[in-house]
């Protein structure tokens, strides 16, 4: 490894040692008081974290400053270290908060949660997600740098990860994309302590991590994770590399914890008061819990003053920008959606909702410079290409490759970066690969927009492997996620208007097959979609209500015509967003459910029983054949709907 100008010298080592010991045992005290948590990783990383404090540019007084370094803890179980550092650096995390670790309503939950604790950049829990989040932040930073220049965007993205993160496949997907794009602003620090819950990693892992990352285009550095000078040199080298970097830091889990040092037993359980007492005594530390010496507090607290200076210097760079550039940047930060000119569609047109959605995406893109995204190698099928916008890193079209798992987590990082509204896309059946990251986005209320096309058995000949059945019910059950399944092109417009206003993650579940445009767009349509469901056809004193979403709405309207011919009055309700419908008051929901209620959806549809007396849905996995033939085969036909409706009405008479 080359030698570069150091941030620390041999003279700094005694103070760093004291900082590290204080930090490590502050974490051990937190876990001990909570009688729950993970002391091992924080104690093993304390030396690295202490050195990193001299490299990071953060602004505790202005925690959302655009040009701050981003620090991601992919191993969310190291949360005690996160909170201890935030406290020592001067963020809004008090010593009382540290003492409330893992307690309900505290600022210091078991795993870091974005928006809950000041200074936490991303919600981390499932291992490997954080690495992909960091790649997303690094991609967002590179793109922003191309837009506004290195004077405005010059920060780094650091990611601390462990053996578990690198065992998860998502880390390989994300690293592959980072290496491909040569994201030189990304620095991964690998806490290589060779310990997981079940014991030494050699029971399940033997690959050469250095060669793995070299093959993916990373520059690899190695260091003793307990040598302050080696750590400092490795970080400095990584910052000057033209490639993304990984620092393989050999560490000992639960460093300084006497008999528990290096043991998997220290991973997820308190050390015990006796071991903590004896270990502190051996190191000459104050035995009382949560003690922070004045010189240590001052050394860590320099972060705040350094951050204030960095913000002032950056503000001068911002003021020197051309006025038009400042206005562009301010608009991207504000994410104003009020100036979008949406396409309108004529009644009687026939168009798949994936096609109308492509037109809507381009309309949003034209109005919003920060609206960016792409597909997992399916843009022509998903209809997600942004016309005349170029490709990343210069343009707005981001090609994720066949990496759905990483794509979802990368867009979370992009959303939390602060400048962009990202979308990502794949076939709906492959949303299974994205579920962990969608769940994290929902926890954070991150503004990510999922385009999931080929929404039902209407996929046709590709067969059961490509026909989503249970996915719609799954994602509707997820809190803080709005799932839209529009019936036609104009309802699709209204769904996007509602979704962009909602300021939370949204999914658009779209048809492959053409659907008729059922009604003209009006402002009232947006108001109706805001309620999740609305009456699209009503007859006086209906005997039965047909409720449906997506392609089945037009089918329900046809069935209503046939039911009228046999003397059954029918109301048809379109439900583009089941989640929003559930939020409405009882009287509104009752107004949609006149007479008997029959739900129709080419999916599993178990949730419809909240409203419906019966459901025409899927009980199996579909089959291979023409979409129209499959709809007929599985009972999604006018004749079958009429038959079931007649039985319901007859039973009620």
């Amino acid at each position: 490894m080359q030698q570069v100008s150091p941030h620390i010298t041999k003279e700094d080592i005694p103070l760093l040692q004291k900082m590290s010991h204080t930090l490590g045992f502050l974490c051990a005290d937190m876990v001990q008081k909570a009688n729950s948590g993970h002391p091992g990783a924080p104690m093993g990383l304390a030396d690295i974290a202490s050195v990193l404090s001299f490299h990071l540019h953060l602004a505790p007084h202005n925690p959302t400053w655009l040009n701050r370094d981003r620090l991601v803890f992919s191993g969310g179980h190291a949360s005690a270290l996160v909170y201890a550092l935030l406290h020592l650096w001067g963020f809004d995390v008090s010593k009382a908060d540290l003492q409330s670790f893992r307690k309900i309503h505290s600022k210091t939950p078991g795993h870091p949660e974005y928006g809950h604790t000041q200074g936490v950049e991303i919600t981390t829990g499932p291992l490997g997600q954080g690495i992909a989040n960091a790649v997303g932040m690094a991609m967002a930073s590179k793109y922003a740098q191309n837009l506004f220049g290195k004077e405005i965007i010059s920060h780094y993205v650091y990611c601390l990860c462990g053996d578990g993160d690198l065992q998860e496949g998502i880390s390989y997907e994300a690293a592959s994309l980072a290496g491909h794009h040569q994201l030189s602003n990304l620095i991964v620090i690998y806490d290589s302590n060779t310990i997981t819950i079940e014991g030494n990693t050699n029971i399940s892992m033997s690959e050469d991590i250095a060669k793995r990352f070299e093959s993916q285009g990373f520059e690899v550095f190695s260091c003793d994770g307990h040598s302050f000078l080696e750590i400092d040199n490795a970080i400095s080298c990584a910052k000057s590399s033209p490639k993304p970097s990984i620092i393989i830091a050999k560490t000992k889990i639960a460093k300084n914890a006497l008999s528990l040092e290096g043991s998997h037993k220290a991973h997820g359980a308190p050390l015990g008061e006796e071991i903590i007492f004896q270990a502190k005594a051996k190191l000459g530390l104050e035995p009382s819990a949560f003690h922070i010496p004045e010189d240590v507090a001052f050394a860590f607290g320099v972060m705040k003053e350094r951050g204030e200076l960095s913000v002032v210097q950056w503000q001068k760079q911002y003021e020197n920008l051309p006025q038009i550039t400042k206005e562009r940047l301010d608009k991207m930060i504000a994410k104003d959606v009020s100036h979008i000119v949406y396409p309108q569609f004529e009644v009687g047109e026939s168009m798949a909702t994936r096609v109308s959605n492509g037109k809507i995406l381009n309309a949003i893109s034209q109005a919003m410079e920060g609206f960016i995204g792409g597909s997992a190698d399916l843009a022509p099928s998903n209809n997600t290409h942004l016309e005349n916008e170029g490709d990343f890193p210069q343009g707005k079209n981001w090609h994720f490759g066949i990496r759905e798992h990483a794509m979802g987590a990368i867009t979370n990082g992009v959303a939390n970066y602060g400048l962009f509204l990202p979308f990502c896309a794949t076939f709906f059946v492959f949303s299974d690969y994205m579920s962990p990251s969608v769940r994290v986005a929902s926890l954070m209320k991150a503004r990510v927009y999922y385009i999931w096309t080929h929404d039902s058995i209407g996929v046709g000949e590709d067969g059961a492997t490509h026909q989503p059945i249970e996915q719609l019910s799954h994602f509707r059950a997820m809190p803080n996620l709005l799932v839209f399944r529009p019936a036609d092109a104009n309802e699709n417009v209204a769904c996007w208007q509602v979704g962009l206003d909602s300021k939370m993650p949204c999914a658009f579940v779209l048809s492959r097959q053409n659907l008729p445009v059922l009604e003209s767009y009006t402002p009232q349509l947006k108001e109706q979609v805001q309620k999740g469901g609305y009456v699209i056809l009503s007859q006086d004193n209906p005997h039965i209500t047909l409720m449906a979403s997506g392609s089945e709405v037009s089918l329900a309207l046809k069935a209503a015509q046939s039911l009228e011919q046999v003397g059954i009055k029918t109301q048809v309700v379109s439900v583009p967003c089941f989640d929003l419908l559930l939020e409405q008051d009882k009287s509104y929901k009752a107004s949609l459910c006149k007479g008997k209620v029959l739900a129709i959806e080419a999916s599993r549809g178990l949730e419809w029983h909240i409203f419906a007396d019966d459901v025409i849905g899927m009980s199996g996995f579909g089959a291979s054949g023409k979409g129209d033939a499959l709809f007929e085969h599985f009972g999604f036909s006018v004749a079958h709907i009429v038959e079931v409706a007649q039985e319901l009405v007859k039973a009620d008479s």
Side-chain angles (χ1 to χ4, degrees), residues 520-535:
S520 299
Y521 178 82
T522 64
Q524 289 73 32
L525 183 57
K526 178 185 175 183
E527 294 173 8
Q528 291 169 320
V529 169
Q530 282 176 323
K531 295 180 178 179
Y534 63 96
V535 176

Side-chain angles (χ1 to χ4, degrees), residues 381-509:
S381 295
N382 296 146
N383 287 82
T384 53
H385 183 72
L386 301 178
E387 300 297 334
N388 304 314
E389 292 291 357
D391 297 332
F392 180 87
Q394 303 294 334
K396 298 175 76 171
N397 289 292
W398 294 28
H399 301 283
F400 294 101
I402 308 164
R403 303 182 182 94
E404 293 91 350
H405 199 2
M407 175 177 71
I410 285 169
T411 47
N412 285 349
V414 175
N416 280 21
Y417 184 77
L419 282 179
F420 306 108
L421 290 181
F423 68 87
C424 59
T426 188
F427 289 171
F428 191 28
V429 74
F430 301 143
S431 64
D432 287 345
Y433 281 129
M434 302 176 64
S435 184
S437 57
V438 177
R439 188 175 191 274
V440 173
S442 300
L443 277 163
M444 298 188 295
K445 293 189 177 179
R447 296 179 72 178
V448 180
Y449 302 92
Y450 305 102
I451 314 300
W452 290 328
T453 68
H454 296 60
D455 68 338
S456 72
I457 56 173
V459 170
E461 293 91 339
D462 276 337
T465 62
H466 281 53
Q467 292 166 14
I469 302 299
E470 74 281 7
Q471 286 78 9
L472 196 52
S473 296
H474 170 205
F475 287 109
R476 281 175 175 162
M478 192 172 285
N480 299 339
L481 174 69
L482 295 183
V483 180
F484 296 97
R485 190 174 182 241
D488 71 354
N490 284 324
E491 197 176 83
N492 200 3
V493 170
C495 288
W496 268 100
Q497 290 177 304
V498 173
L500 287 171
D501 286 345
S502 72
K503 295 181 173 58
M504 64 173 59
C506 300
F508 297 86
V509 182

